[in-house]
Amino acid sequence: MSQNILVINSGSSSIKFSLFDMTTEAERASGLAERLGSDEAVLTVKTANQKNTVELTESDYRSTLQVIISALTEAGLLETLPIAIGHRVVHGGEAFSDPVVITRDVMDKIRDCIPLAPLHNPANLAGIEAIEELYPAIPQVAVFDTAFHQTLAPEAYLYGVPYSLYTELKVRRYGFHGVSHKYVAAEAARRLGINDNHGIISAHLGNGCSAAAIVNGKSVDTTMGLTPLEGLVMGTRSGDVDPGLHQFLSQQKGWDIEKVTAVLNKESGMLGLSGLSNDMRTIEQAAGEGHAQAQLALDVFCFRLARQIGGLATSLPRFDALVFTGGIGENSRLIRAKVVANLKIFGFELDSELNANNGDELGRISAANGPNIVVVNTKEELMIAKESLALV
Ligand code: AMP
């Protein structure tokens, strides 16, 4: 009996997917349908030894998902329909602290969270609804980016604003990247033999970046907030700014709230600071060739990350390990070295050879004497598949 689980991440103009055989946890295929809703919609499907791209003549969610499942079937990867479909859902608000099997009630609650994630949750729901129409017999599971951080205490999740904004509108900090933080912290604890008792900070550094403080497997603080704009400097997102900036820009430049929000989300971060790119590889290369603004962007990124890690550390009983993950955290020796250099106060020290190799057999890059620094490759899709399997 096949144990295939399909993991879907539906965005506003794209659908990412991975197919896992859960008897071995091997990824059998993955792919991306992008530019959905336009004349240039395409689907790319990657398997162990092939990569195929096809144009999509109809690219609504339903048609696209049907084409994805047909493509997997024709490639001989789906002998029968998947035993479950796991959806990455960005915002679960306060309604979800764990993955759930999707029902009408769950869909209503995801809909209730749309004001908190107006770009992401409608797209996530559209994917769920399309599958329900196409394959009503396949159980669907929702795995939320926010759920892992529902263990934050009120002093960590409340902003210093009128409490009525929390009771009326649920204005609070939620945190994101929960699937990744949960996995990499657990994996680091397992590798270091500190499963039962640990204080860990994980830094998920990709296009989006966030860090989390984790005590004995539970999130106690994190850098992202009501939206994924708060916290660290990211590819195109600013991270923390003075809330007074909005009024200042409105007065000085005549920008309305939509414009300010767009600048902070899409034109800031590494792109805005460097004036060059949101891609860390491009920035590192340019800085190496003497591009002063790229160097400045790197300096700000690392300074702010170290500063946030220092803040998160106040929630730990002990600082057992710092974990790097995400495209940047897993690969950038330079960023890791610069951040760790700013964390001397905690006794952190790198082994430069291990850092150059992305870690020893445990992923460790720390010098023998200091606290552990570990590189763990995140496995968000596999984690969603495992959570889905556990529920069906
Ligand atoms: P992700 O969103 O996790 O796929 O991460 C994307 C980011 O990782 C981009 O900014 C990439 O430039 C960055 N990245 C990937 N590989 C490297 C590398 N070898 N060195 C520096 N940054 C990298």
Side-chain angles (χ1 to χ4, degrees), residues 204-208 278-281 284 326-328 331-333:
H204 177 105
L205 310 175
N207 277 320
N278 64 315
D279 191 289
M280 194 58 90
R281 282 165 295 200
E284 284 190 16
I328 299 168
N331 297 298
S332 174
R333 299 139 179 87

Side-chain angles (χ1 to χ4, degrees), residues 99-255:
V100 285
V101 174
I102 295 172
T103 59
R104 287 268 136 211
D105 180 50
V106 167
M107 285 160 81
D108 288 344
K109 287 183 173 140
I110 296 173
R111 199 168 290 113
D112 291 343
C113 293
I114 286 178
L116 294 168
L119 297 179
H120 294 99
N121 273 32
N124 301 154
L125 259 179
I128 293 168
E129 285 166 349
I131 294 284
E132 196 192 34
E133 277 176 46
L134 288 167
Y135 307 102
I138 305 181
Q140 302 194 73
V141 172
V143 181
F144 300 90
D145 259 6
T146 48
F148 180 55
H149 303 296
Q150 279 296 299
T151 45
L152 263 62
E155 63 264 31
Y157 71 66
L158 286 175
Y159 292 110
V161 297
Y163 190 67
S164 57
L165 292 178
Y166 170 60
T167 51
E168 275 170 34
L169 297 172
K170 296 286 175 215
V171 171
R172 52 159 286 178
R173 309 183 60 247
Y174 291 94
F176 298 86
H177 292 140
V179 178
S180 179
H181 288 299
K182 181 179 175 184
Y183 168 71
V184 299
E187 180 61 14
R190 186 189 67 76
R191 292 184 197 174
L192 297 170
I194 52 171
N195 276 338
D196 296 336
N197 191 2
H198 55 254
I200 290 176
I201 289 183
S202 58
H204 177 105
L205 310 175
N207 277 320
C209 301
S210 73
I214 294 149
V215 176
N216 300 338
K218 293 203 175 352
S219 176
V220 292
D221 194 10
T222 188
T223 56
M224 283 179 168
L226 177 74
T227 73
L229 184 56
E230 188 178 336
L232 306 174
V233 173
M234 312 181 208
T236 61
R237 282 173 253 168
S238 61
D240 291 344
V241 293
D242 182 340
L245 180 64
H246 292 68
Q247 191 197 20
F248 181 83
L249 292 176
S250 149
Q251 286 173 344
Q252 298 299 314
K253 303 214 35 114
W255 290 354

Side-chain angles (χ1 to χ4, degrees), residues 268-285:
S268 295
M270 299 306 282
L271 174 64
L273 282 164
S274 70
L276 197 63
S277 172
N278 64 315
D279 191 289
M280 194 58 90
R281 282 165 295 200
T282 308
I283 308 261
E284 284 190 16
Q285 191 182 344

Side-chain angles (χ1 to χ4, degrees), residues 4 8 86 90 109 122 138 150 236 240 269 289 343 347 365 384:
N4 285 321
I8 291 176
V90 166
K109 287 183 173 140
I138 305 181
Q150 279 296 299
T236 61
D240 291 344
E289 291 163 359
L343 292 170
I365 55 172
I384 294 172

Side-chain angles (χ1 to χ4, degrees), residues 347-365:
F348 283 111
E349 218 176 301
L350 269 190
D351 179 310
S352 48
E353 201 177 315
L354 290 181
N355 188 39
N357 292 328
N358 292 328
D360 63 11
E361 68 286 357
L362 297 178
R364 226 173 356 205
I365 55 172

